[in-house]
Structures are given as C-alpha cells and as structure tokens.
Amino acid sequence: MQLSIYTAELAVYITLGIMNNGLDPDIAAMKLSDAEKWGLQVYGNYSRAFGEHRVKEFVEQASPFEAEVTLFEQIAGLVVSEEARVIPVIAAAYADDRLEEMFKREIPDGVPGGRSALMSGFGPLARLSQRLQMAFAFGWLSKDLLIEFDHIRKIRNDLSHKWDVELLVRKMNEFIEEKQTPFEEQLGDGVRLPENFHESMQPVDRFRVRAVWMLGRLTYEARLWVPAIKAGIAPKKALYGPNAPVMLRAIAAISVKATREIACL
C-alpha cells in the first residue's frame, strides 16, 4: 500500500516536472524522436525523485551520535589550548582512532582471521598511513580530507623525530603555508564568523582553525559516509545537502565556537 502511494506521488512529481521544466538540455540535444526523448525524461525524473526520497529517508533516520560529538568537542578544546607543535600529534592520533573504528564497524563479518587482525601487527590496516590509503582507494571518505590528514601524518612524523627548535618552527611554517589548504578563508560568512576574520591571524592560529574543522569533518564522515554508500546514496548529497543530518549542525556549532576562541572574536 505504501509503495503504491509513493508511486502515485512520483507520477504526479514526474508529470509536473515535465510540464514545468520540459526536457533536460542534454536530452533535448539528443538525435532521437520526441517520443524517445520524453521516455528518457520520464525515466530521469523518476530516478531523481526516487533518489531524493532515499536521501530524505537516510537523513531522517541518521543518529545524532552524541558520544562522537562529545568526544570531538573535547578534542577541539585541546586544539585550542595545547602548544602548536603538539596539535599534529593530537590530530593524527584522533584520526587514527576514528578510522580504526570506521573500518571495524563497516568491514563485513567473516574476514579470514577476523577483522581485528587487519588492524593490528602487520595487518594491512594497522597504521594510519594504511588506513588513509584504503579509505581513499575505497572512496569511504572525502578524498580532499584524506589528503589533508596525510599531510598531518607526515608533519607529525617530522616533529616527533626532530628537537631543533628553529627547525621545528621552520617545518611548521612550511607545512602551514605550503602544504595545507587555506580553507579558513571560506569560513567567514558575516553571521557566525566575521568576513575575513582570518586575515589578522598568525599562521599557527590558522593551523589550529584548520585542524578543528578537519577533525570535525572526520568525526562526521567516519560515522555517516559509508552508511550512505551502503544505502545506495551519493554521500556528499546526503551529508552536505540542504537537509543534512542533525549531527552536522552539532559539529559545526563546536567548530565555530572553537574558531572564535582561537581568533579571539
């Protein structure tokens, strides 16, 4: 009964879509008869409507994951307050834990030797570098985020094995200015954060802001990206669409608060 009602709703949606919008430009440009074009248009409208319904259902059913949000809030507090050269160590350790939990949760049962064997010793997912690589290869998290954390991993290794203070400062500055993406430039919306707030910030504080938002994204995506894939949904559309899961609002609020503290706003 529910399926038939939904199918009827889809039929109305499709009809209205065709009446109001006509053919999609790519379909209109095809060398096909009008009947064939309209057939493709109906199918396309149906597919879009069905996809939008699945995204809506996924978002409504997504848990707020309050424990993960609370943990992220604690980590964000450390990023705000700890010495700058310790932050890559904190960020890498947190990323390692989140990725380990994600793989343990999402890799199916029945793996020969058990899932835990993959994560320990000489297993293929025993180290942060391997977890980042596998998540990238599987498409289990945003690729740009994984690349940023790989940079974090490398600077963590550098800082862990060098004790020359001048060299450490130079390494950190090179990392901040040359390796990282300056996405803090996009955060000032004039409402939650002043426009161009980053311009007066020191490089180390810009790094703190980047770390907070990266860790927030990782917390969020590690919980919901793979479930979206398994539900047959494009993760970016589900997680960052106009009606995103409630967890995103909580993560964003913590990130904004930490950013304001770092920037002394």
Side-chain angles (χ1 to χ4, degrees), residues 15-32:
T15 303
L16 289 175
I18 292 175
M19 290 174 61
N20 292 333
N21 301 318
L23 293 170
D24 290 344
D26 57 335
I27 294 177
M30 291 180 177
K31 295 181 179 180
L32 299 172

Side-chain angles (χ1 to χ4, degrees), residues 29-259:
M30 291 180 177
K31 295 181 179 180
L32 299 172
S33 68
D34 286 346
E36 289 172 322
K37 289 179 181 179
W38 285 114
L40 285 174
Q41 186 66 54
V42 169
Y43 179 79
N45 285 359
Y46 177 86
S47 298
R48 281 195 292 270
F50 188 69
E52 289 169 5
H53 173 75
R54 290 167 73 180
V55 169
K56 180 181 178 184
E57 192 173 54
F58 177 84
V59 169
E60 289 174 349
Q61 294 177 357
S63 166
F65 297 112
E66 294 173 354
E68 280 86 348
V69 171
T70 299
L71 179 59
F72 167 60
E73 187 170 23
Q74 295 170 354
I75 294 297
L78 290 177
V79 173
V80 171
S81 62
E82 287 291 340
E83 185 181 352
R85 67 180 181 181
V86 179
I87 295 172
V89 178
I90 295 171
Y94 183 78
D96 204 15
D97 287 346
R98 298 278 64 75
L99 289 171
E100 180 180 8
E101 290 299 318
M102 181 188 75
F103 278 112
K104 284 181 177 178
R105 188 170 55 245
E106 304 299 348
I107 290 176
D109 293 328
V111 175
R115 282 179 294 190
S116 60
L118 299 174
M119 311 287 173
S120 59
F122 294 101
L125 293 170
R127 299 193 302 273
L128 175 58
S129 59
Q130 296 168 315
R131 292 167 187 172
L132 291 169
Q133 288 173 335
M134 292 299 283
F136 191 99
F138 290 166
W140 275 15
L141 291 170
S142 293
K143 294 188 183 301
D144 67 302
L145 184 62
L146 292 167
I147 290 170
E148 292 290 342
F149 272 105
D150 194 49
H151 293 326
I152 289 277
R153 178 190 65 81
K154 290 175 181 176
I155 192 65
R156 183 273 313 266
N157 291 346
D158 284 343
L159 297 181
S160 298
H161 296 94
K162 293 179 175 64
W163 296 102
D164 184 316
V165 175
E166 291 184 3
L167 180 60
L168 289 174
V169 171
R170 188 165 67 250
K171 282 281 186 181
M172 278 294 293
N173 286 336
E174 288 175 359
F175 168 66
I176 295 167
E177 300 294 346
E178 299 176 15
K179 296 291 186 182
Q180 284 196 303
T181 302
F183 55 78
E184 72 277 2
E185 297 174 4
Q186 311 300 320
L187 297 177
D189 59 1
V191 180
R192 295 178 301 174
L193 293 168
E195 295 181 8
N196 302 320
F197 74 94
H198 63 280
E199 291 181 351
S200 60
M201 295 177 66
Q202 295 297 315
V204 167
D205 288 332
R206 295 205 304 273
F207 169 55
R208 291 182 192 274
V209 169
R210 295 170 192 173
V212 166
W213 287 85
M214 286 168 54
L215 293 167
R217 278 185 66 192
L218 180 64
T219 304
Y220 180 57
E221 292 189 11
R223 258 301 180 179
L224 291 170
W225 192 276
V226 178
I229 292 174
K230 291 181 176 180
I233 300 168
K236 284 187 178 179
K237 185 174 182 180
L239 272 62
Y240 297 108
N243 299 304
V246 66
M247 185 184 184
L248 181 61
R249 293 197 293 273
I251 293 291
I254 294 168
S255 301
V256 169
K257 180 176 180 291
T259 299

